Amino acid sequence: MISSLARLGPRLFAARLKALSLAAVAALAGCSANPIYTTTGFVLSNYSEGEATPYVLQMSDAQMACALGEGVDPLLYSFSRVTDAPDSTGSLLMLLAGNCAEYEAWEAELAYLRADYEGDVAAAKDAREVAKRLNALTAKRRYASFQRAMAAYEFDPAAEPLECPFLFTEQDEITFLLGLLTGMQAIVNDANSGAMAGVPRNIAPQAERAATCLDNEKWGGMPNAIRALVWLLLPDTRPALAPDPWQVLEHSRKLGVEKGMRVPHALQAVAAETFGRPEKLEEAIATFAEADATIEVWDDYRLVDEVAAGVVRFSSDKYWTANYGYRTPQSFFGRMSPERQTENVETMNLDDLL
């Protein structure tokens, strides 16, 4: 009996020690869910969604907005450890952070094209590799933005049949729509990186279906422009009676100008580069520049038009750098040649001065 108790003694001690350890872990876990942190998380999430997001969407400085995304996203999203993840705001912040990475990738791409134009092979190879790595980073951030946008509205893009999400406000609609667009951009960036980011390609047909949940007229042709881009990437997804994707993009461009948000121009430029259609690229750049004189930008979403402008300008800069060795001069934006137009130029009559 005594020997049995002696054998049980260490076991009881070990069991009690284990119970105490578990209690200590539970207590520490409770401390980590500090009510002040939880309350702060709710306050920050609600402020970001209700006040900061509308303010940022009205900004005209795309570089400052992207810096905001890189700086604030880790802080705001860290509150997902103590409360619900702020997915709607988090989607937009990660979208902006993705833009930052892409702006750096653009500079590397232009450096590659300049070096290639000048015949500097080593510099061209180095810049090309930098561009690939930055495209991979951009793709990862944009895929995270897509995932957060889908989670924010509890939307399963692969569900059969399609069940559109409940989008209660206009801000919900634009957040969801930009999430779809960002998913498509992630695929393009991943392709430019040599598939380093591993973005799943099946999100393209999912985005195409989800875009039908939004009003195409209201959102300046963006939903249909996204669908047209998918039809070009994956022709099997194009419905039997759907029009030609390039026609859809052209119509979307016109709607975009009418609504004051020229995202379809940017999508046509990306599609034209991807599928080697220089005439469509020239068309997208020229019509974007022409619209500068007449468009009334949708003030609530000025940042969206500014980001689209950056995409189109980069497309123009790539063409100019590849063909002439330098980016587009300001007075030549909208044209693909450095030759000056002499027609319709007013000349001064020197006879009157003599």
Side-chain angles (χ1 to χ4, degrees):
M1 180 69 177
I2 293 175
S3 62
S4 298
L5 288 174
R7 284 197 300 273
L8 284 172
R11 292 180 187 174
L12 286 171
F13 178 75
R16 286 176 180 170
L17 184 62
K18 184 177 181 182
L20 285 172
S21 300
L22 289 173
V25 169
L28 288 172
C31 288
S32 71
N34 188 306
I36 294 177
Y37 296 165
T38 306
T39 304
T40 305
F42 278 123
V43 170
L44 273 180
S45 295
N46 289 336
Y47 174 78
S48 298
E49 189 166 347
E51 301 297 335
T53 297
Y55 178 83
V56 172
L57 286 172
Q58 287 183 317
M59 288 173 62
S60 58
D61 190 333
Q63 292 281 353
M64 184 181 288
C66 93
L68 175 83
E70 281 193 322
V72 174
D73 180 79
L75 170 64
L76 183 69
Y77 218 73
S78 69
F79 284 99
S80 62
R81 292 163 63 94
V82 294
T83 184
D84 292 337
D87 283 318
S88 58
T89 305
S91 169
L92 294 174
L93 287 171
M94 191 56 83
L95 177 159
L96 295 174
N99 288 349
C100 268
E102 184 170 61
Y103 295 156
E104 291 183 44
W106 288 353
E107 290 304 315
E109 180 76 14
L110 292 177
Y112 157 72
L113 291 172
R114 273 194 302 275
D116 186 55
Y117 183 85
E118 294 165 358
D120 188 339
V121 176
K125 289 178 71 173
D126 184 68
R128 186 70 165 169
E129 187 58 32
V130 172
K132 282 185 177 181
R133 295 179 190 184
L134 288 168
N135 267 299
L137 176 61
T138 307
K140 287 177 183 175
R141 290 179 178 181
R142 285 182 165 162
Y143 182 48
S145 173
F146 169 81
Q147 290 176 304
R148 289 182 186 180
M150 300 302 103
Y153 302 103
E154 298 178 349
F155 176 70
D156 180 1
E160 290 288 352
L162 174 68
E163 293 184 13
C164 289
F166 292 104
L167 303 171
F168 296 103
T169 66
E170 194 169 83
Q171 188 169 306
D172 288 335
E173 291 181 41
I174 189 72
T175 302
F176 184 72
L177 180 54
L178 291 177
L180 300 178
L181 177 61
T182 307
M184 295 303 302
Q185 289 177 300
I187 294 174
V188 174
N189 289 124
D190 194 26
N192 291 337
S193 78
M196 281 195 280
V199 175
R201 300 296 192 265
N202 63 358
I203 66 172
Q206 294 171 1
E208 193 271 343
R209 290 198 320 155
T212 60
C213 296
L214 294 146
D215 185 330
N216 187 58
E217 300 280 333
K218 175 180 179 179
W219 292 109
M222 264 201 289
N224 278 356
I226 292 172
R227 301 185 70 198
L229 183 59
V230 176
W231 296 344
L232 289 169
L233 289 169
L234 303 169
D236 291 345
T237 60
R238 180 183 167 195
L241 300 177
D244 178 75
W246 295 106
Q247 290 180 352
V248 175
L249 285 169
E250 183 178 342
H251 183 247
S252 299
R253 271 192 355 238
K254 294 172 182 172
L255 286 177
V257 173
E258 289 173 11
K259 295 299 292 188
M261 215 159 44
R262 289 170 286 181
V263 173
H265 280 83
L267 288 176
Q268 179 173 331
V270 171
E273 290 174 347
T274 305
F275 296 98
R277 297 289 298 269
E279 79 283 5
K280 295 295 180 186
L281 176 64
E282 183 173 358
E283 187 180 85
I285 295 171
T287 54
F288 188 98
E290 286 170 10
D292 274 342
T294 58
I295 188 171
E296 291 185 18
V297 175
W298 194 346
D299 194 50
D300 288 344
Y301 307 111
R302 180 170 295 277
L303 183 62
V304 179
D305 188 67
E306 289 291 338
V307 171
V311 173
V312 175
R313 189 172 293 280
F314 173 62
S315 294
S316 176
D317 284 346
K318 272 200 297 185
Y319 179 87
W320 275 76
T321 306
N323 288 280
Y324 310 115
Y326 51 87
R327 62 188 80 198
T328 320
Q330 178 60 32
S331 58
F332 285 77
F333 180 55
R335 295 162 51 187
M336 311 300 268
S337 166
E339 294 177 10
R340 292 193 175 277
Q341 292 177 330
T342 55
E343 55 189 38
N344 299 323
V345 175
E346 294 184 5
T347 56
M348 183 180 293
N349 187 350
L350 296 178
D351 293 340
D352 295 338
L353 298 176
L354 300 176

